[in-house]
């Protein structure tokens, strides 16, 4: 039975724990070659090379940030233009009402503000945070993933018995441990 | 650890041998989770909290009686509050420069000091943000600075540098808080997973937002952190440039200078590096962090302070040279008054503390002598406050109209507000010391792995 959780993956499967990032990376490569596609890595820091193997790329985040910046700049300038030119024009010695150089700094700052807020919100959305409980937290030894162990979660494949294959791909010992993850 | 390291290799080391990812994680999180609160913490926190109480009294009395309790009067309407504001926001900027700018340059010494610098920034910004509000005569109208729809059909004056500054400081508060918090998330998750007491699990569990450290999380995290760093570095320069424009935008002699924005940014960098040094030097001993905050860190921070001091000294020269070069009479009056007049002792104190004393840091032995370096940094922090004071008061006391020349004499409430704001900062920082990991654990784990891969450190 596959239980879909908010993280987008079924949690039923196996969790292999490694002591070193290099051993984890090597095993991940082997798993990919053996045709496992639904994998996730949990690590105490970002391991170079994992993103390529799992096809992860934060494509949307920079786009959202740029869009937010443009929106913030246009909106920020419009706010000042509206206030100083349209809603409450003040004639001071005949100087131009649309004094855009004087609006430039606040335009930049407001663009920065929208970037900061939109970036953080988008980050939360893509990481599905805040999410105080996730079934993965119940997996044995998961708390080590935020300290010094490198975990690969391998989804159970429908109608296939991968136990033996995994034993071959990820030999126990040498700091590797495989646990079943209940759904 | 020896006081005078032998080889060049020893001096360049950002992590001492024997430090592992596991030992860093255990040590830094145990400081927060397991260790009994040490005596020095209680003493330091007690004193800070006392000063903070003084701040509450000073501000409370101000709220009752108004700004008349201060020494300000026409034409010196900007007294301590504005000098304090510029001083605090300057020190904050130094912290962001370390954590954002040197993230972009991928400097390996940044990892161990960034958390201290960012935490310092957050509480400095808090102190800075309060100052302009309490300086308003009718502080309860401060929300008039927001462009909100109102029945008076009024708008804030968007063309005024003072309003730019309001926007800038608002964005900077939000930015430094978010940058700090995002960088904390993985470490909060580590604390959550290591915590044994229930309140700790609940507290750090809530704060960590459910961080899992999955590849998806790290991928997004790295992108966001890079974007934030790329934004914060120019933002912090813009903040202090705008603070400079607060002054340069006025016609007051001595303020109306095109060099003010970079002049202020250099001063901000100098005072910021000095505060980080003043925090790092005692903390690496008190928190037993000498393994990850090495002499290399001290050396780099001292060099940065020296660089900033040279940049600032150049501005000091220009500040004196330009009035004579232009031949503007009022500006010459202000400069000669600063050099020889009532405020001359203050002026020369700032020159000595910010420009002359840091020059001893050219010598490596002196640079690595921590007690001496601490004193130089303290001198710079005091000197930078004096600089702000001289800029604010020195120009106003010799303005265009001779009939209004006046001398500013601070009252006891001026000093209480200044000392109290230091209490506010230290109270916040001591609390952070107790509840937040003072070193970025995940960055150090990554750094240790990289150093190992490069083959020895």
């Amino acid at each position: 039975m596959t239980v879909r959780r908010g993280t987008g993956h079924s949690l039923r499967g196996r969790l292999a724990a490694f002591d070193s990032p290099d051993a984890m990376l090597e095993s991940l490569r082997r798993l990919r070659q053996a045709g496992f596609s639904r994998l996730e890595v949990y690590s105490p820091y970002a391991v170079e090379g994992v993103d390529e193997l799992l096809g992860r790329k934060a494509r949307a985040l920079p786009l959202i940030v740029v869009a937010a910046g443009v929106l913030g700049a246009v909106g920020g300038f419009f706010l000042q233009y509206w206030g100083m030119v349209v809603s409450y024009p003040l004639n001071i010695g005949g100087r131009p009402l649309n004094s855009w150089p004087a609006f430039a700094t606040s335009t930049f700052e407001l663009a920065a503000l929208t970037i900061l807020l939109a970036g953080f919100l988008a980050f939360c959305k893509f990481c599905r945070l805040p999410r105080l409980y996730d079934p993965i937290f119940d997996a044995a030894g998961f708390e080590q993933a935020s300290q010094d162990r490198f975990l690969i979660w391998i989804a159970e494949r429908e109608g296939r018995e991968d136990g033996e294959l995994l034993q071959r791909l990820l030999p126990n010992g040498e700091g590797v441990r495989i646990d079943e993850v209940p759904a | 650890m020896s006081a005078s390291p032998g080889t060049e290799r020893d001096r360049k080391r950002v992590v001492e041998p024997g430090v592992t990812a596991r030992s860093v994680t255990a040590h830094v999180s145990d400081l927060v989770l397991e260790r009994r609160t040490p005596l020095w913490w209680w003493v330091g926190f007690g004193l800070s909290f006392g000063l903070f109480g003084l701040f509450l009294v000073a501000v409370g009395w101000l709220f009752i009686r108004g700004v008349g309790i201060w020494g300000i009067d026409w034409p010196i309407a900007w007294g301590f509050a504005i000098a304090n504001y510029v001083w605090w926001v300057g020190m904050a900027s130094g912290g962001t420069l370390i954590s954002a700018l040197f993230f972009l340059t991928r400097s390996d010494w940044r990892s161990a000091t960034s958390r201290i610098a960012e935490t310092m920034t957050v509480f400095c910004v808090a102190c800075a943000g309060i100052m302009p509000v309490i300086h308003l005569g009718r502080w309860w109208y401060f929300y008039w600075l927001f462009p909100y729809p109102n029945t008076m059909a009024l708008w804030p004056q968007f063309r005024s540098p003072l309003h730019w500054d309001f926007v800038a400081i608002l964005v900077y508060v939000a930015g430094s808080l978010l940058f700090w918090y995002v960088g904390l998330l993985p470490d909060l998750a580590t604390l959550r997973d290591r915590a044994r007491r229930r309140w700790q699990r609940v507290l750090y569990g809530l704060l960590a937002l459910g961080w899992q450290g999955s590849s998806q999380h790290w991928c997004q995290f790295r992108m966001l952190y890079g974007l934030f760093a790329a934004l914060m570095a120019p933002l912090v320069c813009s903040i202090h440039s705008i603070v400079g424009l607060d002054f340069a935008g006025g016609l007051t002699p001595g303020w109306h200078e095109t060099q003010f924005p970079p002049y202020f940014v250099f001063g901000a960098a100098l005072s910021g590096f000095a505060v980080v040094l003043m925090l790092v030097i005692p903390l690496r001993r008190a928190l037993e962090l000498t393994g990850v905050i090495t002499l290399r860190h001290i050396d780099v921070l001292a060099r940065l302070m020296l660089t900033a001091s040279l940049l600032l000294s150049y501005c000091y020269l220009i500040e004196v040279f330009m009035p004579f070069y232009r031949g503007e009479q009022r500006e010459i009056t202000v400069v000669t008054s600063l050099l020889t007049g009532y405020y001359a002792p203050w002026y020369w104190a700032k020159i000595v503390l910010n420009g002359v004393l840091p020059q001893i840091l050219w010598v490596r032995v002196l640079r690595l002598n921590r007690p001496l370096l601490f004193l130089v940094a303290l001198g710079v922090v005091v000197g930078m406050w004096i600089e702000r004071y001289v800029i604010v008061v020195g120009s106003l006391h010799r303005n265009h109209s001779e009939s209004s020349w006046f001398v500013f004499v601070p009252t006891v409430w001026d000093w209480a507000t200044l000392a109290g704001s230091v209490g506010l900062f230290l109270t916040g920082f001591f609390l952070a010391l107790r509840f937040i990991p003072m070193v970025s654990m995940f960055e150090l784990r990554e750094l240790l792995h990289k150093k190992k891969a490069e083959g020895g450190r």
Side-chain angles (χ1 to χ4, degrees), chain A residues 95-120:
Chain A
R95 290 182 181 82
L97 289 175
N98 180 21
S99 51
W100 62 266
F103 302 155
T105 49
S106 295
T107 304
F108 169 76
E109 299 297 333
L110 290 169
L113 183 64
T114 35
I115 286 177
L116 287 162
L117 295 178
F120 183 66

mmCIF file of all heavy atoms in Angstrom, chain A residues 95-120:
data_model
loop_
_atom_site.group_PDB
_atom_site.id
_atom_site.type_symbol
_atom_site.label_atom_id
_atom_site.label_comp_id
_atom_site.label_asym_id
_atom_site.label_seq_id
_atom_site.Cartn_x
_atom_site.Cartn_y
_atom_site.Cartn_z
ATOM 1 N N ARG A 95 9.685 73.060 -9.022
ATOM 2 C CA ARG A 95 10.450 71.839 -9.319
ATOM 3 C C ARG A 95 9.508 70.753 -9.832
ATOM 4 O O ARG A 95 8.327 70.729 -9.467
ATOM 5 C CB ARG A 95 11.184 71.358 -8.072
ATOM 6 C CG ARG A 95 12.321 72.268 -7.677
ATOM 7 C CD ARG A 95 13.044 71.720 -6.458
ATOM 8 N NE ARG A 95 14.132 72.605 -6.056
ATOM 9 C CZ ARG A 95 13.972 73.689 -5.324
ATOM 10 N NH1 ARG A 95 12.758 74.015 -4.909
ATOM 11 N NH2 ARG A 95 14.996 74.443 -5.001
ATOM 12 N N PRO A 96 10.034 69.851 -10.669
ATOM 13 C CA PRO A 96 9.152 68.823 -11.245
ATOM 14 C C PRO A 96 8.552 67.942 -10.159
ATOM 15 O O PRO A 96 9.216 67.595 -9.186
ATOM 16 C CB PRO A 96 10.080 68.030 -12.163
ATOM 17 C CG PRO A 96 11.468 68.392 -11.774
ATOM 18 C CD PRO A 96 11.402 69.761 -11.173
ATOM 19 N N LEU A 97 7.285 67.604 -10.340
ATOM 20 C CA LEU A 97 6.617 66.763 -9.350
ATOM 21 C C LEU A 97 7.154 65.340 -9.384
ATOM 22 O O LEU A 97 7.360 64.713 -8.365
ATOM 23 C CB LEU A 97 5.104 66.766 -9.615
ATOM 24 C CG LEU A 97 4.395 68.085 -9.289
ATOM 25 C CD1 LEU A 97 2.937 68.014 -9.716
ATOM 26 C CD2 LEU A 97 4.495 68.393 -7.807
ATOM 27 N N ASN A 98 7.358 64.845 -10.623
ATOM 28 C CA ASN A 98 7.873 63.484 -10.739
ATOM 29 C C ASN A 98 9.392 63.520 -10.580
ATOM 30 O O ASN A 98 10.148 63.357 -11.533
ATOM 31 C CB ASN A 98 7.472 62.877 -12.080
ATOM 32 C CG ASN A 98 8.008 61.468 -12.226
ATOM 33 O OD1 ASN A 98 8.321 60.811 -11.236
ATOM 34 N ND2 ASN A 98 8.123 61.020 -13.459
ATOM 35 N N SER A 99 9.852 63.719 -9.349
ATOM 36 C CA SER A 99 11.287 63.825 -9.099
ATOM 37 C C SER A 99 11.847 62.424 -8.869
ATOM 38 O O SER A 99 12.151 62.029 -7.755
ATOM 39 C CB SER A 99 11.529 64.706 -7.882
ATOM 40 O OG SER A 99 10.729 64.254 -6.808
ATOM 41 N N TRP A 100 11.971 61.672 -9.969
ATOM 42 C CA TRP A 100 12.294 60.245 -9.822
ATOM 43 C C TRP A 100 13.630 59.961 -9.143
ATOM 44 O O TRP A 100 13.751 58.948 -8.457
ATOM 45 C CB TRP A 100 12.188 59.517 -11.168
ATOM 46 C CG TRP A 100 13.135 60.022 -12.214
ATOM 47 C CD1 TRP A 100 12.866 60.962 -13.159
ATOM 48 C CD2 TRP A 100 14.492 59.632 -12.394
ATOM 49 N NE1 TRP A 100 13.968 61.188 -13.911
ATOM 50 C CE2 TRP A 100 14.982 60.383 -13.481
ATOM 51 C CE3 TRP A 100 15.341 58.723 -11.764
ATOM 52 C CZ2 TRP A 100 16.294 60.262 -13.929
ATOM 53 C CZ3 TRP A 100 16.641 58.587 -12.205
ATOM 54 C CH2 TRP A 100 17.103 59.363 -13.285
ATOM 55 N N PRO A 101 14.664 60.819 -9.294
ATOM 56 C CA PRO A 101 15.898 60.457 -8.579
ATOM 57 C C PRO A 101 15.684 60.394 -7.065
ATOM 58 O O PRO A 101 16.298 59.576 -6.391
ATOM 59 C CB PRO A 101 16.866 61.587 -8.947
ATOM 60 C CG PRO A 101 16.354 62.137 -10.223
ATOM 61 C CD PRO A 101 14.875 62.045 -10.105
ATOM 62 N N ALA A 102 14.770 61.239 -6.558
ATOM 63 C CA ALA A 102 14.509 61.224 -5.122
ATOM 64 C C ALA A 102 13.678 60.006 -4.730
ATOM 65 O O ALA A 102 13.606 59.664 -3.556
ATOM 66 C CB ALA A 102 13.789 62.501 -4.700
ATOM 67 N N PHE A 103 13.053 59.370 -5.696
ATOM 68 C CA PHE A 103 12.270 58.167 -5.379
ATOM 69 C C PHE A 103 13.116 56.902 -5.495
ATOM 70 O O PHE A 103 12.672 55.811 -5.121
ATOM 71 C CB PHE A 103 11.067 58.014 -6.331
ATOM 72 C CG PHE A 103 10.125 59.190 -6.332
ATOM 73 C CD1 PHE A 103 9.322 59.458 -7.432
ATOM 74 C CD2 PHE A 103 10.017 60.029 -5.228
ATOM 75 C CE1 PHE A 103 8.453 60.534 -7.436
ATOM 76 C CE2 PHE A 103 9.147 61.103 -5.225
ATOM 77 C CZ PHE A 103 8.365 61.358 -6.337
ATOM 78 N N ALA A 104 14.335 57.039 -6.038
ATOM 79 C CA ALA A 104 15.107 55.846 -6.416
ATOM 80 C C ALA A 104 15.485 54.990 -5.200
ATOM 81 O O ALA A 104 15.365 53.767 -5.241
ATOM 82 C CB ALA A 104 16.353 56.250 -7.185
ATOM 83 N N THR A 105 15.944 55.646 -4.119
ATOM 84 C CA THR A 105 16.428 54.833 -2.996
ATOM 85 C C THR A 105 15.294 54.020 -2.372
ATOM 86 O O THR A 105 15.449 52.825 -2.126
ATOM 87 C CB THR A 105 17.061 55.715 -1.911
ATOM 88 O OG1 THR A 105 16.183 56.773 -1.621
ATOM 89 C CG2 THR A 105 18.385 56.280 -2.345
ATOM 90 N N SER A 106 14.141 54.661 -2.155
ATOM 91 C CA SER A 106 13.041 53.910 -1.549
ATOM 92 C C SER A 106 12.556 52.825 -2.499
ATOM 93 O O SER A 106 12.132 51.749 -2.050
ATOM 94 C CB SER A 106 11.890 54.847 -1.192
ATOM 95 O OG SER A 106 12.306 55.739 -0.186
ATOM 96 N N THR A 107 12.643 53.089 -3.815
ATOM 97 C CA THR A 107 12.265 52.056 -4.769
ATOM 98 C C THR A 107 13.160 50.834 -4.599
ATOM 99 O O THR A 107 12.681 49.696 -4.545
ATOM 100 C CB THR A 107 12.387 52.603 -6.211
ATOM 101 O OG1 THR A 107 11.595 53.781 -6.309
ATOM 102 C CG2 THR A 107 11.926 51.580 -7.224
ATOM 103 N N PHE A 108 14.451 51.075 -4.482
ATOM 104 C CA PHE A 108 15.387 49.955 -4.276
ATOM 105 C C PHE A 108 15.084 49.223 -2.979
ATOM 106 O O PHE A 108 15.032 47.989 -2.945
ATOM 107 C CB PHE A 108 16.822 50.481 -4.267
ATOM 108 C CG PHE A 108 17.836 49.463 -3.810
ATOM 109 C CD1 PHE A 108 18.227 48.446 -4.659
ATOM 110 C CD2 PHE A 108 18.374 49.516 -2.534
ATOM 111 C CE1 PHE A 108 19.148 47.487 -4.242
ATOM 112 C CE2 PHE A 108 19.288 48.561 -2.109
ATOM 113 C CZ PHE A 108 19.677 47.552 -2.965
ATOM 114 N N GLU A 109 14.862 49.982 -1.913
ATOM 115 C CA GLU A 109 14.630 49.341 -0.613
ATOM 116 C C GLU A 109 13.348 48.516 -0.635
ATOM 117 O O GLU A 109 13.307 47.418 -0.071
ATOM 118 C CB GLU A 109 14.541 50.395 0.499
ATOM 119 C CG GLU A 109 15.790 51.241 0.696
ATOM 120 C CD GLU A 109 17.016 50.454 1.119
ATOM 121 O OE1 GLU A 109 16.830 49.396 1.742
ATOM 122 O OE2 GLU A 109 18.141 50.879 0.813
ATOM 123 N N LEU A 110 12.304 49.048 -1.270
ATOM 124 C CA LEU A 110 11.046 48.299 -1.288
ATOM 125 C C LEU A 110 11.172 47.058 -2.156
ATOM 126 O O LEU A 110 10.570 46.017 -1.861
ATOM 127 C CB LEU A 110 9.907 49.202 -1.772
ATOM 128 C CG LEU A 110 9.529 50.285 -0.748
ATOM 129 C CD1 LEU A 110 8.594 51.307 -1.353
ATOM 130 C CD2 LEU A 110 8.898 49.660 0.493
ATOM 131 N N ALA A 111 11.964 47.157 -3.232
ATOM 132 C CA ALA A 111 12.221 45.962 -4.040
ATOM 133 C C ALA A 111 12.937 44.916 -3.189
ATOM 134 O O ALA A 111 12.602 43.721 -3.221
ATOM 135 C CB ALA A 111 13.060 46.317 -5.269
ATOM 136 N N ALA A 112 13.907 45.369 -2.394
ATOM 137 C CA ALA A 112 14.636 44.436 -1.524
ATOM 138 C C ALA A 112 13.682 43.781 -0.523
ATOM 139 O O ALA A 112 13.766 42.575 -0.263
ATOM 140 C CB ALA A 112 15.755 45.171 -0.791
ATOM 141 N N LEU A 113 12.755 44.572 0.010
ATOM 142 C CA LEU A 113 11.815 44.035 0.996
ATOM 143 C C LEU A 113 10.939 42.941 0.379
ATOM 144 O O LEU A 113 10.758 41.864 0.963
ATOM 145 C CB LEU A 113 10.949 45.159 1.557
ATOM 146 C CG LEU A 113 9.963 44.765 2.652
ATOM 147 C CD1 LEU A 113 10.700 44.276 3.879
ATOM 148 C CD2 LEU A 113 9.060 45.926 3.030
ATOM 149 N N THR A 114 10.412 43.205 -0.832
ATOM 150 C CA THR A 114 9.560 42.181 -1.461
ATOM 151 C C THR A 114 10.387 40.939 -1.795
ATOM 152 O O THR A 114 9.897 39.819 -1.678
ATOM 153 C CB THR A 114 8.889 42.701 -2.746
ATOM 154 O OG1 THR A 114 9.788 43.572 -3.395
ATOM 155 C CG2 THR A 114 7.612 43.401 -2.462
ATOM 156 N N ILE A 115 11.647 41.138 -2.204
ATOM 157 C CA ILE A 115 12.497 39.980 -2.490
ATOM 158 C C ILE A 115 12.673 39.142 -1.237
ATOM 159 O O ILE A 115 12.530 37.916 -1.267
ATOM 160 C CB ILE A 115 13.868 40.444 -3.023
ATOM 161 C CG1 ILE A 115 13.733 40.942 -4.465
ATOM 162 C CG2 ILE A 115 14.890 39.325 -2.941
ATOM 163 C CD1 ILE A 115 15.006 41.490 -5.043
ATOM 164 N N LEU A 116 12.955 39.794 -0.125
ATOM 165 C CA LEU A 116 13.185 39.064 1.125
ATOM 166 C C LEU A 116 11.937 38.274 1.528
ATOM 167 O O LEU A 116 12.016 37.090 1.850
ATOM 168 C CB LEU A 116 13.563 40.044 2.238
ATOM 169 C CG LEU A 116 14.966 40.632 2.150
ATOM 170 C CD1 LEU A 116 15.075 41.891 3.000
ATOM 171 C CD2 LEU A 116 15.987 39.609 2.604
ATOM 172 N N LEU A 117 10.790 38.946 1.490
ATOM 173 C CA LEU A 117 9.574 38.283 1.946
ATOM 174 C C LEU A 117 9.157 37.186 0.980
ATOM 175 O O LEU A 117 8.880 36.051 1.383
ATOM 176 C CB LEU A 117 8.446 39.307 2.121
ATOM 177 C CG LEU A 117 8.708 40.345 3.218
ATOM 178 C CD1 LEU A 117 7.566 41.341 3.300
ATOM 179 C CD2 LEU A 117 8.901 39.673 4.572
ATOM 180 N N ALA A 118 9.166 37.505 -0.320
ATOM 181 C CA ALA A 118 8.735 36.506 -1.304
ATOM 182 C C ALA A 118 9.709 35.335 -1.327
ATOM 183 O O ALA A 118 9.291 34.177 -1.438
ATOM 184 C CB ALA A 118 8.643 37.150 -2.692
ATOM 185 N N GLY A 119 10.991 35.617 -1.209
ATOM 186 C CA GLY A 119 11.986 34.544 -1.201
ATOM 187 C C GLY A 119 11.753 33.598 -0.038
ATOM 188 O O GLY A 119 11.744 32.378 -0.206
ATOM 189 N N PHE A 120 11.505 34.165 1.139
ATOM 190 C CA PHE A 120 11.308 33.318 2.313
ATOM 191 C C PHE A 120 10.011 32.510 2.188
ATOM 192 O O PHE A 120 9.986 31.311 2.478
ATOM 193 C CB PHE A 120 11.291 34.169 3.583
ATOM 194 C CG PHE A 120 11.160 33.350 4.833
ATOM 195 C CD1 PHE A 120 12.167 32.492 5.218
ATOM 196 C CD2 PHE A 120 10.017 33.435 5.608
ATOM 197 C CE1 PHE A 120 12.054 31.725 6.366
ATOM 198 C CE2 PHE A 120 9.897 32.674 6.761
ATOM 199 C CZ PHE A 120 10.909 31.815 7.142
#
